[in-house]
Amino acid sequence: ISAGADVCADAIIINGTYSGGGTICQGPLPVTMLSFTAQAFSKNNVKLDWTTAVELNNSGFDVERRVTLSGAEGWKKIAFVQGSGTVNEPRSYHFDDKKLQTGSYKYRLKQIDYNSNFEYFELENDVVVRAPDVFSVSQNYPNPSNPKSKIDYEIPVEGKVKITLYDILGREALNIVNETKLAGYHSAEFDGTNLASGVYFYRITAEGSSQKFTKTLKMIIVK
């Protein structure tokens, strides 16, 4: 047993001896998992659903994610979902992982009891978030901006992206993005702290693989 590890099961048979910093206990596992599934939805969002049969002293679940090719060290906690303590009937849980980049992801749950003991439940299959099919750009949010906001945009191919802000007279007021981006889902941070309140327009131009996209939207800055 490695240092700090704990082994719990209904029945344990040891052939020989064991050593290490963990403990061995006999008895029911703190959580019996009935199902753990994931589904990509709304382009780059993933919905996780899991159901337990019974729970014993269950504090909750850390939801962890890693990019498939990043290795074991790439696991990252992204949320905590409260457990049901001790119950003898099924309980269902869900978590939505939103605005992911294009790629393949693994998920696992770290179930933690009130004594800080834990065990892992790993999703069997990878979840793939595919690149968008077309170019698009969202209305900045919040709008009106006071004075910061975000602009989401999607590009189906790698290419040069430029987002420029103009005042009501058509003069360039701010260069928001001007760089090459990979195909996928992106978000630009906008900060209008140094701009006067009023009506502005932002234009996105994206070009790559013989494709070009241009669109202009209105933005209001209020301070």
Side-chain angles (χ1 to χ4, degrees):
I1 305 174
S2 62
D6 296 314
V7 176
C8 290
D10 292 328
I12 298 175
I13 299 175
I14 299 175
N15 294 319
T17 61
Y18 70 90
S19 63
T23 61
I24 288 182
C25 64
Q26 282 188 267
L29 294 173
V31 167
T32 300
M33 191 73 69
L34 285 177
S35 64
F36 179 27
T37 62
Q39 182 180 6
F41 73 100
S42 297
K43 298 181 181 179
N44 62 332
N45 301 318
V46 172
K47 181 178 182 180
L48 303 177
D49 292 286
W50 63 100
T51 301
T52 61
V54 295
E55 299 182 24
L56 176 64
N57 199 34
N58 180 25
S59 171
F61 305 87
D62 283 346
V63 181
E64 299 184 353
R65 177 192 69 211
R66 74 175 173 89
V67 179
T68 299
L69 299 178
S70 66
E73 71 281 358
W75 286 108
K76 177 183 178 182
K77 176 182 174 180
I78 56 175
F80 176 78
V81 177
Q82 187 72 41
S84 299
T86 299
V87 292
N88 292 315
E89 58 186 16
R91 287 286 190 272
S92 295
Y93 302 89
H94 76 272
F95 174 75
D96 291 341
D97 194 13
K98 298 181 178 181
K99 295 188 176 181
L100 294 165
Q101 292 297 320
T102 301
S104 182
Y105 297 90
K106 289 185 176 294
Y107 289 90
R108 71 182 182 184
L109 302 173
K110 181 181 179 181
Q111 183 275 318
I112 308 169
D113 70 16
Y114 286 108
N115 297 320
S116 298
N117 300 311
F118 62 87
E119 62 177 325
Y120 288 105
F121 300 91
E122 187 168 337
L123 191 67
E124 182 177 351
N125 300 318
D126 295 355
V127 180
V128 178
V129 176
R130 304 188 185 282
D133 296 325
V134 296
F135 292 94
S136 70
V137 61
S138 73
Q139 180 67 56
N140 68 296
Y141 61 95
N143 186 41
S145 171
N146 184 22
K148 297 180 179 181
S149 64
K150 293 182 178 182
I151 300 170
D152 294 336
Y153 59 97
E154 305 172 8
I155 55 174
V157 295
E158 180 179 353
K160 184 66 177 293
V161 176
K162 186 174 183 179
I163 302 178
T164 307
L165 186 73
Y166 299 91
D167 65 17
I168 195 69
L169 298 178
R171 298 173 299 193
E172 183 173 323
L174 185 66
N175 189 357
I176 302 173
V177 175
N178 188 13
E179 58 185 290
T180 299
K181 294 288 188 179
L182 295 175
Y185 306 87
H186 302 276
S187 183
E189 300 278 348
F190 165 76
D191 187 350
T193 301
N194 297 323
L195 299 175
S197 297
V199 176
Y200 293 82
F201 297 89
Y202 61 95
R203 177 181 296 159
I204 180 172
T205 301
E207 189 170 5
S209 298
S210 301
Q211 301 182 58
K212 187 172 183 179
F213 171 74
T214 299
K215 188 172 183 177
T216 302
L217 293 171
K218 182 168 70 173
M219 174 191 301
I220 299 175
I221 298 178
V222 176
K223 297 182 180 180

